Amino acid sequence: MTRQVPPIGSALDTHALQLLDSAHYLHPFTDHAALAREGARVIVRGDGIYIWDADGQQIIDGMSGLWCVNAGYGRTRIVQAAAEQMQTLPFYNSFFQSTNVPAVQLAARLAALAPPGFQHVFFTSSGSEANDTNVRMVRRYWELLGQPQRRVIISRHNAYHGSTLAGASLGGMAGMHAQGGLPLPDIHHIGEPNLWKQAPGTDPEAFGLQAARWLEQALADIGPERVAAFIGEPVQGAGGVVIPPASYWPEIQRICDAHGILLIADEVICGFGRLGHWFGSERFGIRPDLITFAKGVTSGYVPLGGVLVGERVARVLAAGGEFAHGFTYSGHPVACAAALENLRILEEEDLVRRVREDTGPYLAARFASLAGHPLVGHVDSCGFVAGLNLVRPDGSAFDPALGVGLLCRAQMFRNGMVMRAVGERMIIAPPLIMQPRQIDEMVARIRYCLNETQQVLAALGYV
Ligand SMILES: *Cc1c(COP(=O)(O)O)cnc(C)c1O
């Protein structure tokens, strides 16, 4: 944070980049007509919890990039570990009875960090590929057990499990399903455990049980003998930081156990300290059979994902001959070397425990103080994810068509703060290195931006 900002060009350079960007770069999840009109934000540098744009503006990155830069920006140690591995061996595959040193070390490290019962890891380069791997793996598992009719995977509306065909199908995003004929067959969705959306004002624990029993209902409708697995994020991230009541996951676990179906915890966001534990499953008392990971495993410095495979599944797969699945970059040595160094940082700086016992509770208290703002309704948090719902000063909801969340997000960015908008819900997932004084700084910026948003909404006649 004390390093000098290098000269990164004038406003003209920014504009030239924006024109080139618009002419050639197809962005993920982007309306390109709007992008061409407004120009992309060009981010050029990061350090700690901050990023800088091409015009030199310093911005608090309240979203850790995309939920991934857990160890913060500017970690020279990760850069060096990756560079040294590139010198030594930039690539070799893990097919054909080969392996490489960082992949072996990382697999062993992850097995040690995982909840009890996990001894094996399958590597991919992303969370989406890891969830595709889950689909293939659980179907293979049931085939090997002589139950090939067990193909159905149950997920939840508004879940996010990636953007490949299987990932987008497992996910419950209506906008994604509306394009290209998704979901794929044999993927079924139940309601999400979202109290403020589904049953505002009701008792949270009673609602948690009710939401879990939608799984039991689905099993009855589909026929439990056809169901292979249930998949869920411990806390739904992209769906808007949906924190389930404490009663929810134990009941889901009970139902999975009662019917013998596999439980997949998608920990791509919740893993590696985000909820104050190495895995979010520990926070919610989930005993999964498979764990999807990506994002925070490398703090995003290089792409890496994978599946932690519990012994119940690993034993059957191992006895079943070749599993015809894998990627060129499974166990990529540079990605694994970066992950190992990132995990060392999380451990040496005690970041997981700090989020659980120290900075997480501090963030929760400071963020909750925003509930007093006239535009803020429901506020909640869990570890280092948090969300607030924008409402009218009289507490009533905004018409979604007004795009109030996006207006608020624009005010945030203009004033040096990244918050994500999911409808009218504004969410954060800051780097785990954020210190209490930086939490104060962030909450002050958010409060300032909420005031600005209120003025803009008043000028538009929305409040
Ligand atoms: C981001 C995300 C994915 C997809 O990961 P990619 O690396 O973008 O493919 C899957 N599951 C969850 C919960 C995620 O947040």
Side-chain angles (χ1 to χ4, degrees):
M1 275 140 270
T2 49
R3 264 194 289 154
Q4 279 299 306
V5 181
I8 36 182
S10 61
L12 184 66
D13 294 331
T14 307
H15 187 59
L17 279 166
Q18 287 169 329
L19 290 177
L20 277 175
D21 177 84
S22 174
H24 300 294
Y25 185 10
L26 283 175
H27 292 235
F29 289 101
T30 294
D31 173 346
H32 283 83
L35 186 70
R37 244 185 351 261
E38 292 152 26
R41 285 186 284 268
V42 185
I43 305 300
V44 294
R45 198 172 78 82
D47 194 12
I49 65 162
Y50 301 99
I51 51 175
W52 281 264
D53 69 16
D55 299 324
Q57 188 192 12
Q58 181 224 49
I59 300 158
I60 296 178
D61 185 6
M63 282 305 298
S64 304
L66 213 46
W67 320 85
C68 52
V69 189
N70 290 8
Y73 296 92
R75 291 292 193 157
T76 315
R77 287 173 57 176
I78 302 178
V79 179
Q80 271 165 358
E84 277 164 26
Q85 185 57 45
M86 274 194 214
Q87 281 291 349
T88 311
L89 182 71
F91 176 75
Y92 199 73
N93 71 72
S94 294
F95 295 19
F96 318 128
Q97 304 196 355
S98 299
T99 193
N100 69 75
V101 177
V104 174
Q105 290 175 329
L106 181 61
R109 193 75 209 104
L110 289 172
L113 292 174
F118 286 88
Q119 290 300 323
H120 292 89
V121 184
F122 192 99
F123 288 118
T124 69
S125 298
S126 70
S128 301
E129 290 172 347
N131 279 327
D132 274 52
T133 298
N134 278 324
V135 174
R136 299 205 63 204
M137 212 177 257
V138 300
R139 288 183 176 167
R140 170 87 179 143
Y141 169 84
W142 288 114
E143 284 162 12
L144 286 168
L145 290 181
Q147 300 185 53
Q149 79 287 352
R150 279 205 194 250
R151 289 178 50 80
V152 175
I153 299 176
I154 300 178
S155 176
R156 295 158 323 157
H157 296 304
N158 212 31
Y160 189 79
H161 297 300
S163 195
T164 51
L165 285 171
S169 297
L170 291 172
M173 297 295 178
M176 294 173 80
H177 290 177
Q179 298 179 359
L182 297 181
L184 297 172
D186 292 327
I187 293 176
H188 186 95
H189 297 85
I190 62 171
E192 55 178 321
N194 185 334
L195 184 70
W196 43 264
K197 204 196 279 178
Q198 312 245 32
T202 61
D203 173 59
E205 300 316 322
F207 171 74
L209 287 179
Q210 181 197 346
R213 286 175 192 154
W214 294 332
L215 173 59
E216 205 148 54
Q217 185 58 50
L219 283 164
D221 294 344
I222 298 161
E225 72 291 345
R226 290 188 54 229
V227 177
F230 175 80
I231 184 169
E233 305 152 82
V235 169
Q236 283 161 261
V241 179
V242 180
I243 304 165
S247 59
Y248 179 76
W249 276 110
E251 183 66 0
I252 289 280
Q253 182 76 57
R254 183 193 67 73
I255 296 165
C256 289
D257 291 347
H259 296 276
I261 66 175
L262 296 169
L263 204 166
I264 308 167
D266 184 341
E267 299 251 15
V268 169
I269 287 174
C270 297
F272 304 103
R274 177 61 56 196
L275 304 187
H277 296 264
W278 282 102
F279 293 93
S281 291
E282 298 161 274
R283 166 76 174 67
F284 286 97
I286 310 168
R287 285 176 284 103
D289 297 293
L290 298 151
I291 293 176
T292 320
F293 65 89
K295 294 191 173 123
V297 67
T298 56
S299 284
Y301 278 62
V302 284
L304 180 69
V307 179
L308 279 156
V309 184
E311 285 315 284
R312 173 179 170 192
V313 175
R315 223 177 293 122
V316 172
L317 280 185
E322 179 177 320
F323 176 37
H325 176 68
F327 302 100
T328 302
Y329 296 135
S330 288
H332 194 290
V334 176
C336 292
L340 281 164
E341 197 59 28
N342 175 58
L343 296 179
R344 274 184 212 113
I345 290 173
L346 296 186
E347 286 179 284
E348 284 171 22
E349 298 181 9
D350 204 15
L351 287 171
V352 179
R353 189 198 57 79
R354 277 174 53 198
V355 167
R356 181 172 65 248
E357 294 174 8
D358 179 10
T359 51
Y362 189 77
L363 175 69
R366 299 296 301 126
F367 199 76
S369 75
L370 293 166
H373 193 279
L375 279 188
V376 177
H378 181 79
V379 178
D380 57 4
S381 66
C382 180
F384 256 37
V385 293
L388 60 84
N389 296 3
L390 295 173
V391 294
R392 287 206 168 77
D394 68 3
S396 62
F398 286 108
D399 176 355
L402 297 176
V404 168
L406 294 180
L407 278 169
C408 181
R409 186 183 73 179
Q411 287 307 317
M412 295 276 171
F413 220 97
R414 194 163 299 140
N415 292 292
M417 177 70 212
V418 175
M419 252 186 132
R420 180 159 162 173
V422 181
E424 285 67 57
R425 187 155 163 88
M426 304 300 299
I427 59 178
I428 53 166
L432 310 187
I433 55 164
M434 193 176 261
Q435 304 284 342
R437 66 177 165 76
Q438 295 174 321
I439 291 172
D440 291 342
E441 181 191 353
M442 175 176 72
V443 171
R445 262 192 220 193
I446 293 172
R447 197 182 300 280
Y448 178 85
C449 296
L450 287 170
N451 291 338
E452 297 275 296
T453 303
Q454 193 173 2
Q455 285 178 16
V456 170
L457 295 180
L460 289 166
Y462 294 174
V463 293

